[in-house]
Amino acid sequence: MEDILVPIVVVGILFLGLPWLIFHYVTQWKKNGGLTVEDEKLLDDMHEMARRLDDRLGTLERILDSQDPAWRPRQSVDRAREEEWRRDN
């Protein structure tokens, strides 16, 4: 009797339990896969805040450059590339 019960349980798990588990989580993933409206608004707000902070930092650097050109020790290649990127964007 025990020899028959083990294969039935294993077949039941493989052909019923495992596919149900996979389909359950695929369905949950599809249902919750996208951003909510609140998430999109928060992301937009954070992007706008980052843009404003970048503008403020650029303004401060221009003011400091005009008042004291030697306030930075020296510009590295990375810093020059960063400023070039800021001007382009």
Side-chain angles (χ1 to χ4, degrees):
M1 180 73 167
E2 197 172 298
D3 295 336
I4 296 173
L5 187 60
V6 172
I8 291 175
V9 171
V10 170
V11 168
I13 289 173
L14 286 177
F15 290 103
L16 296 175
L18 192 58
W20 176 84
L21 188 66
I22 291 170
F23 288 132
H24 171 74
Y25 283 109
V26 166
T27 304
Q28 292 296 318
W29 174 68
K30 285 183 179 180
K31 186 170 32 172
N32 298 329
L35 292 175
T36 64
V37 174
E38 294 86 18
D39 291 340
E40 288 180 2
K41 183 176 179 345
L42 180 63
L43 192 59
D44 288 341
D45 291 345
M46 290 173 66
H47 182 264
E48 178 63 25
M49 187 183 306
R51 188 194 59 76
R52 287 193 335 242
L53 289 172
D54 189 49
D55 290 345
R56 289 177 183 176
L57 181 64
T59 302
L60 287 172
E61 287 177 345
R62 280 194 307 274
I63 291 170
L64 286 172
D65 283 336
S66 68
Q67 290 181 352
D68 183 15
W71 70 275
R72 301 181 223 222
R74 65 177 187 183
Q75 283 188 332
S76 67
V77 175
D78 293 335
R79 184 69 180 177
R81 286 182 185 159
E82 181 181 345
E83 288 183 0
E84 181 179 317
W85 180 83
R86 283 186 185 172
R87 281 188 298 237
D88 293 341
N89 294 322

